[in-house]
Amino acid sequence: LLAPCKVLEKRGFEITYLKTGSDGIVSPLDVQKHLRKDTILISIIYANNKIGTIQPIKEIGKIKGKVCFHTDATQATNFLNLKVETLGIDLLTANAHKIYGPKGIGVLYKKSGVQIMPQIFGGGHEEGLRSGTPSTPLIVGMAKSLEIAQNIKNEESLRLCQLRDYFIDKVLKEIPIAKLNGHPMKRLPNNANFSFLHADAESIIIKLDVLGVSASSGSACEAQYQKDKKENRYSVRFSLGRQTNKKEIDEVLKVIKQCTNA
């Protein structure tokens, strides 16, 4: 979300960057406070890809007034409400590979009446917004993966929430140097992000990889979350998926303890 803002600033637009709480949540009241008469766009990620925090999109949608409201729902598509009318959303973006679909395809929902500039000029495809020959296989793959994700959303979210909470509880109880990043409850069902104090994240990730566990560095500073920069060095993200089970969680826990000398 930040790169387009930097481009707009170079073109003369004024951008307001909102701070978050220690849990990574943007306050709707803070959004309302910073709205100006000449504000034309609000853009807030639905759920953070690093620490999993879910933003109060519906609440922000209620106070935005006539300002165009965009959300990046890439991480939210598998689990959260996408009913744009009830959320108060004017623009919504998502992609396929985060919902087990093909790479290289995404979707933009645009509310009727919202005017946006074309991204690619040429033959006038996609109602003049993005010229170029559409990839039918990718489009079908996107639609099918979205259909499947929505059909199993409730059941899968509940299953993953139970596994996630079990995992988080075990890590915090059995690894003294572990600290959970993000909101303890208002987070994606598949996300568990920890800081392991006094243990470098990259070193832990390398050790985990050698022992067969895939994880990533969840540096919160990259997503503009106001957290201690020193602590960001120790942030590790674990993602759960449709194939994840309790046995695997227990095995991962053993490996983490080994990698952190817990």
Side-chain angles (χ1 to χ4, degrees):
L1 292 178
L2 296 181
C5 292
K6 299 299 183 183
V7 172
L8 289 173
E9 283 182 316
K10 291 179 179 179
R11 296 179 180 176
F13 290 88
E14 293 183 21
I15 310 294
T16 300
Y17 298 94
L18 300 180
K19 294 182 178 181
T20 69
S22 59
D23 55 10
I25 292 181
V26 175
S27 167
L29 292 178
D30 200 29
V31 175
Q32 189 174 38
K33 176 184 175 181
H34 285 88
L35 287 177
R36 303 177 352 188
K37 291 182 179 180
D38 58 350
T39 300
I40 60 174
L41 176 69
I42 300 170
S43 184
I44 298 177
I45 195 169
Y46 199 157
N48 183 260
N49 58 310
K50 296 294 178 66
I51 61 174
T53 298
I54 299 171
Q55 301 296 343
I57 297 299
K58 186 175 182 179
E59 289 77 3
I60 295 171
K62 290 180 179 179
I63 55 92
K64 72 179 182 68
K66 296 182 179 180
V67 179
C68 189
F69 186 19
H70 163 262
T71 189
D72 176 357
T74 299
Q75 297 290 330
T77 312
N78 266 319
F79 311 110
L80 305 180
N81 174 24
L82 296 182
K83 295 180 179 179
V84 291
E85 296 86 358
T86 59
L87 291 173
I89 295 296
D90 301 295
L91 298 165
L92 180 146
T93 48
N95 66 27
H97 79 269
K98 290 295 183 181
I99 51 175
Y100 300 85
K103 293 183 178 181
I105 183 71
V107 62
L108 166 67
Y109 160 78
K110 183 179 75 68
K111 184 178 180 180
S112 177
V114 174
Q115 300 296 314
I116 60 176
M117 290 182 63
Q119 298 302 296
I120 299 176
F121 296 90
H125 302 76
E126 305 296 338
E127 298 183 357
L129 295 179
R130 190 183 188 280
S131 292
T133 304
S135 173
T136 302
L138 292 182
I139 293 171
V140 173
M142 174 81 213
K144 188 61 180 179
S145 59
L146 182 58
E147 178 186 4
I148 293 172
Q150 289 298 295
N151 286 341
I152 67 173
K153 178 179 64 177
N154 294 335
E155 180 182 351
E156 183 65 2
S157 293
L158 177 60
R159 187 186 73 86
L160 286 179
C161 279
Q162 293 172 341
L163 282 178
R164 178 204 64 193
D165 292 346
Y166 171 79
F167 180 44
I168 291 174
D169 183 64
K170 284 286 188 178
V171 169
L172 296 180
K173 285 183 177 179
E174 299 184 20
I175 304 177
I177 64 172
K179 176 182 178 294
L180 181 67
N181 294 319
H183 196 282
M185 299 303 296
K186 297 176 182 178
R187 66 187 307 120
L188 290 169
N190 70 326
N191 179 284
N193 185 301
F194 302 98
S195 289
F196 297 99
L197 303 182
H198 314 302
D200 185 75
E202 292 303 322
S203 177
I204 292 176
I205 290 171
I206 292 172
K207 292 177 181 178
L208 288 170
D209 184 61
V210 170
L211 295 173
V213 175
S214 295
S216 62
S217 178
S219 178
C221 60
E222 291 182 21
Q224 291 293 297
Y225 283 92
Q226 305 303 309
K227 299 168 70 67
D228 182 78
K229 290 183 179 180
K230 185 177 179 181
E231 185 176 317
N232 288 332
R233 288 185 54 208
Y234 313 123
S235 182
V236 181
R237 179 187 67 176
F238 297 89
S239 298
L240 288 65
R242 291 178 187 171
Q243 286 75 44
T244 307
N245 56 53
K246 186 173 178 293
K247 181 180 178 181
E248 291 173 332
I249 294 292
D250 290 332
E251 290 298 321
V252 169
L253 180 63
K254 294 178 182 178
V255 176
I256 297 173
K257 293 171 71 174
Q258 182 179 341
C259 293
T260 57
N261 298 317

